[in-house]
Amino acid sequence: MKTIDSIKNLILNKKITVENLIKKIFEDIETRDKEINSFITLSKTKALEKAAFLDKKLSNGEPVGELFGIPIAIKDNINVKNERMTCASKILENFRSPYNATVIEKLEKEDAIIIGKTNMDEFAMGSSTETSYFGITKNPLDLSRVPGGSSGGSAASVSADFVPLALGSDTGGSIRQPASFCGVYGLKPTYGTVSRYGLVAFASSLDQIGPFTNSIDDMAKILNIISGYDEKDSTSINIKVPNFIEELKNIDIKNKTIGIPDEFFKEGLDNEIKNIIFEKIEFLEKNGAIIKKISLPHTEYSVSTYYIVASSEASANLARFDGVKYGFREKNIKNLLEEYTKTRSIGFGNEVKRRIMLGTFSLSSGYYDAYYKKAQKVRNLIKQDFVNAFKEVDFIITPTSPSIAFKIGEKISDPLSMYLSDIYTISVNLAGIPAISIPVGKNSNSMPIGMQIIGNYFKEAEILNISKFLEFNK
């Protein structure tokens, strides 16, 4: 298992050069990723040039960044300058980004090396990475199963040990659910904590960039780098960011109150997952935590609320992909209307078209009040459930997913069943609060099980703290 410190120490102690490290990583990817398909685009030339530059920097005795020589994978809806940026869609198949996302600028400033862009559900719409125009990504732990989604490629790249960390985006569980399926750590920060500038929008009020890692220490390191106010992002929140690494030095769960919501442990939850989650809850209680049953009464409306809000925002955001400005354009057209219609019909996949139609319907005259406006009111009730809960508890613990990674093809033809796979993660995005999925065990088929730890607004440090305690006491 690769970690940031283990790689960085090898480089700084000159046991390996950055260039040789990156060459070995590409050799590994080119050999094993043929089956997994975690990457859409590999940035081999650019990465090796950066590696040679960093080796020279080290030999000259120059100061090095926090991520010196560390390879990282980037979900293919985050802009990297001059690199292909497809959102796993035909409509952007050959598009190259003219600029860097803010998170990319921060990573490169710390001497990280971007290995490539990872596979995903098209425009982040999916829970299995089966809707990608570039083919299905497979779970590295069982190639017959999905890695989750929509950030399945990023989760798989870390799980397969190609890279020690990767960035994804989370709109309704798209980091946490694949982290659970692939047995890695995945964090969705508080909305506004990490800049969204340079992230292709799916649902603007829900999307948030976050990391996948193999350890909590690495999660703290990467969060230190990518968090913080960005004037380029109107949704970025200007507050002081704690030192997440320093916060991990004072692990303390005694007298911390952990809420267990009844609504998350009802029918539909796999028994093996339920049993392992409760084992961890009992362990925390034995070590001084206070366990309290709570209720989040509007949870039952979260899936329907999410798909109205997210699809409505997607309908508006994806209107820009019309064949006029950039991306794919259908040829042999007679007029502008035909250009719009044919380009979008051919360029978008079925799941994207399904959500655009749902969102357009929800926003249309005569239906706006009945659907979108009502969904926003229910969203506020869901948010208030969490506000009330955090008056009584410090954390909330739930399963990340009701099941382990399901078989490829098992749910792709049943959209409702697929949508329900995110039932435990969606409400967190609607409320805008932070949550992490951590691996806590395996089922009888040796597939990983993830546990979700939810915190109050801007309490990422506390979430990492309790996660570190559980990681240390595996």
Side-chain angles (χ1 to χ4, degrees), residues 10 35 50 217 221 319 356 381:
L10 286 173
E35 286 189 313
K50 178 77 175 284
D217 285 342
K221 286 182 175 70
I356 288 173
L381 294 174

Side-chain angles (χ1 to χ4, degrees), residues 218-270:
D218 283 2
M219 186 70 75
K221 286 182 175 70
I222 187 67
L223 203 57
N224 262 358
I225 292 164
I226 65 174
S227 298
Y229 175 68
D230 180 16
E231 62 182 12
K232 296 177 182 176
D233 175 12
S234 63
T235 65
S236 180
I237 298 175
N238 193 0
I239 63 168
K240 184 179 179 181
V241 177
N243 186 319
F244 298 105
I245 298 171
E246 289 299 316
E247 292 289 335
L248 286 181
K249 294 178 180 178
N250 300 302
I251 298 173
D252 183 16
I253 66 159
K254 288 184 178 179
N255 298 319
K256 296 290 185 183
T257 305
I258 298 171
I260 311 300
D262 181 59
E263 292 82 3
F264 285 69
F265 292 90
K266 291 184 175 179
E267 186 179 352
L269 175 62
D270 180 274

Side-chain angles (χ1 to χ4, degrees), residues 259-327:
I260 311 300
D262 181 59
E263 292 82 3
F264 285 69
F265 292 90
K266 291 184 175 179
E267 186 179 352
L269 175 62
D270 180 274
N271 278 331
E272 288 187 286
I273 295 175
K274 183 177 182 179
N275 291 338
I276 285 180
I277 300 296
F278 275 113
E279 281 178 15
K280 295 301 177 184
I281 292 169
E282 289 172 11
F283 173 76
L284 291 169
E285 187 173 28
K286 287 178 182 177
N287 282 275
I290 300 165
I291 307 301
K292 183 172 184 176
K293 288 187 177 182
I294 63 170
S295 177
L296 299 170
H298 295 95
T299 297
E300 63 179 300
Y301 306 113
S302 60
V303 173
S304 53
T305 300
Y306 170 84
Y307 278 99
I308 291 173
V309 172
S311 296
S312 297
E313 294 184 13
S315 172
N317 281 325
L318 269 64
R320 72 193 70 179
F321 302 104
D322 53 14
V324 176
K325 305 176 190 69
Y326 40 73

Side-chain angles (χ1 to χ4, degrees), residues 300-363:
E300 63 179 300
Y301 306 113
S302 60
V303 173
S304 53
T305 300
Y306 170 84
Y307 278 99
I308 291 173
V309 172
S311 296
S312 297
E313 294 184 13
S315 172
N317 281 325
L318 269 64
R320 72 193 70 179
F321 302 104
D322 53 14
V324 176
K325 305 176 190 69
Y326 40 73
F328 169 75
R329 178 185 298 174
E330 176 60 6
K331 298 175 182 178
N332 301 317
I333 52 173
K334 297 176 183 177
N335 53 53
L336 187 61
L337 180 59
E338 188 175 4
E339 179 176 317
Y340 289 164
T341 304
K342 286 191 174 181
T343 295
R344 291 166 67 82
S345 295
I346 297 169
F348 288 137
N350 289 336
E351 183 59 32
V352 173
K353 287 187 277 193
R354 182 183 293 119
R355 298 199 195 192
I356 288 173
M357 288 189 289
L358 175 60
T360 303
F361 177 80
S362 298
L363 294 174

Side-chain angles (χ1 to χ4, degrees), residues 13 26 48 80 193 201 216 234 253 267 295 297 320 347 350 398 400 419 423:
N13 292 325
F26 279 118
L48 288 171
V80 179
T193 297
I216 292 299
S234 63
I253 66 159
E267 186 179 352
S295 177
R320 72 193 70 179
N350 289 336
T398 77
T400 305
Y419 296 167
I423 192 168

Side-chain angles (χ1 to χ4, degrees), residues 349-410:
N350 289 336
E351 183 59 32
V352 173
K353 287 187 277 193
R354 182 183 293 119
R355 298 199 195 192
I356 288 173
M357 288 189 289
L358 175 60
T360 303
F361 177 80
S362 298
L363 294 174
S364 61
S365 177
Y367 295 100
Y368 179 90
D369 286 348
Y371 292 99
Y372 183 73
K373 187 175 180 180
K374 186 175 288 185
Q376 289 289 21
K377 288 180 178 179
V378 177
R379 178 183 186 174
N380 192 52
L381 294 174
I382 291 168
K383 176 182 175 181
Q384 195 60 44
D385 284 348
F386 284 106
V387 170
N388 293 336
F390 284 119
K391 291 176 182 177
E392 302 178 13
V393 302
D394 298 297
F395 307 101
I396 296 171
I397 284 181
T398 77
T400 305
S401 173
S403 70
I404 61 159
F406 46 86
K407 294 281 187 178
I408 291 170
E410 186 178 323

Side-chain angles (χ1 to χ4, degrees), residues 85 138 170 411 458:
M85 205 284 303
K138 298 175 182 177
D170 193 311
K411 298 186 179 184
F458 308 108

